Amino acid sequence: MGQLRLMQILGVVVLFALLLLSTAYGTTSIPTVDVVQAVLLGTGLVEGDMSPLHRIVYDLRLPRAIFAAVIGAGLGIVGVVLQTTTRNDLADPFLFGLSSGAAAGAVFVITVTGDILGLWTLPLAAFCGGLTASGIVLALVHGLRTSAPEKLILAGLAVSFLFAAITNYLIFAGDSRAAHSVIFWMLGGLGLARWEAFPLVSLGLVLILAYTLIRSRWLDALLTGDLTASTLGVPVRRLRLSMFFAAALATAVFVSVAGVIGFIGLMVPHIARGIAGPLHRQLIPTAALVGAALLTGSDILSRLLLTPQELPVGIVTTSIGSIFVFLLLYKTSGTRNRTP
């Protein structure tokens, strides 16, 4: 336990350093002294007028860095939930149509309706799309009168393909001038990070974090299999469906602000288990730290690789994720080959 605490403290230090780098570096580097002063002025800890440079830090770069940490932490926890409840090491929000549903909602607004509700139009449309996709998955599973992991995965894949087809149709039939916005949003980005949306993103993280910690013992029991968990008094079907709904709600919130960011939910649980082990009371906070650091670091790379242009952060996370999956497959293959 002492070693785990030390690793978690180290993770907090690394995350803080990444947040500082994310705020200071971009197309234009800003001295650390100005970053600290902007934060102090913006939070009211120091009195004075904010210069345009301070405004850039406090109104643009700081919320972006914090959003990256919060969304990365949330997606990491969602990945843990989905992989545990489905007993599938490759489960993530993409696999269940949650991301594709949110993408369809956002693309519908971009290509058809426009910003009819102002700044909140895109997040609300993506949120509604994600919830619609999750509702269809839950309805399919309920109609089958089973919550078996393989049925949940198949229902999620069907819904994912359905909403992907809807999205592609909207892109093809919609306004071609909106194609750039659609592509950038579908590949993920934190350009919409503003303080006004921070309560919504925080709510998504608090929801999934609190609920998984409350049900951590039930999740631990689920690792032993449905039958054993049932004999221990765990309502397996209700737990699986409620966890899926909580994951869907949190994912819809994150995607509504940051777009579709891939592979965070797949990679983080594996890294976190290597640090904290399989028990969820230690695994969940560790996954949150790893996810926050991973997405914050990826966002820094997305702004520096093609300066002065900004690369969609989803390209960075997908590139890292593909390498991670290759290594995971190689490790799994090597373990099986050594088995007598």
Side-chain angles (χ1 to χ4, degrees):
M1 183 63 72
Q3 184 178 2
L4 175 59
R5 293 300 180 205
L6 182 62
M7 292 292 289
Q8 289 176 338
I9 292 172
L10 179 62
V12 171
V13 173
V14 170
L15 177 59
F16 181 80
L18 288 172
L19 289 172
L20 184 60
L21 286 173
S22 180
T23 309
Y25 290 94
T27 54
T28 302
S29 298
I30 299 175
T32 305
V33 175
D34 290 325
V35 171
V36 174
Q37 188 177 11
V39 173
L40 294 175
L41 288 171
T43 54
L45 296 176
V46 172
E47 294 184 359
D49 296 328
M50 297 184 71
S51 67
L53 182 64
H54 293 151
R55 286 292 177 190
I56 291 173
V57 171
Y58 188 76
D59 294 336
L60 297 177
R61 290 196 178 180
L62 183 60
R64 179 172 182 145
I66 293 177
F67 273 48
V70 171
I71 292 171
L75 290 175
I77 298 172
V78 167
V80 170
V81 169
L82 294 178
Q83 290 183 15
T84 297
T85 55
T86 63
R87 297 198 297 274
N88 186 328
D89 290 342
L90 296 179
D92 77 340
F94 278 105
L95 192 63
F96 296 95
L98 309 182
S99 298
S100 58
V107 171
F108 179 79
V109 165
I110 294 172
T111 59
V112 179
T113 65
D115 296 334
I116 56 177
L117 297 177
L119 181 64
W120 285 97
T121 305
L122 187 60
L124 284 174
F127 182 72
C128 292
L131 287 187
T132 301
S134 63
I136 295 173
V137 173
L138 291 175
L140 286 172
V141 173
H142 180 74
L144 296 172
R145 299 186 181 279
T146 178
S147 63
E150 61 273 12
K151 300 297 183 183
L152 192 60
I153 291 172
L154 287 174
L157 281 173
V159 172
S160 180
F161 288 136
L162 172 64
F163 277 94
I166 293 173
T167 301
N168 291 331
Y169 171 78
L170 290 171
I171 294 173
F172 182 79
D175 186 355
S176 60
R177 292 173 296 180
H180 179 74
S181 298
V182 168
I183 292 173
F184 187 87
W185 192 89
M186 289 182 65
L187 293 176
L190 292 159
L192 292 178
R194 298 292 184 272
W195 290 120
E196 293 81 4
F198 183 69
L200 177 66
V201 176
S202 300
L203 182 62
L205 175 60
V206 170
L207 166 71
I208 194 66
L209 177 62
Y211 192 60
T212 49
L213 287 176
I214 291 171
R215 297 297 186 217
S216 60
R217 291 188 180 275
W218 285 6
L219 290 171
D220 292 342
L222 205 59
L223 295 173
T224 63
D226 289 5
L227 183 59
T228 304
S230 297
T231 60
L232 294 173
V234 177
V236 174
R237 175 181 167 83
R238 181 160 59 89
L239 174 64
R240 185 167 282 128
L241 293 179
S242 64
M243 278 294 172
F244 179 80
F245 180 75
L249 188 61
T251 301
V253 169
F254 302 142
V255 174
S256 71
V257 175
V260 180
I261 300 176
F263 280 95
I264 295 292
L266 188 152
M267 291 187 288
V268 168
H270 294 278
I271 300 172
R273 285 191 202 99
I275 299 171
L279 298 181
H280 290 80
R281 179 64 65 172
Q282 293 81 36
L283 176 60
I284 292 166
T286 305
L289 272 175
V290 173
L294 183 58
L295 187 54
T296 305
S298 298
D299 185 52
I300 295 172
L301 286 176
S302 73
R303 283 180 283 158
L304 295 180
L305 288 175
L306 289 180
T307 305
Q309 290 183 323
E310 180 181 323
L311 192 68
V313 71
I315 294 179
V316 178
T317 59
T318 302
S319 302
I320 297 172
S322 61
I323 297 172
F324 180 85
V325 171
F326 286 140
L327 293 175
L328 184 64
L329 290 172
Y330 179 78
K331 180 182 177 181
T332 304
S333 175
T335 302
R336 288 178 178 174
N337 291 335
R338 289 193 299 270
T339 302

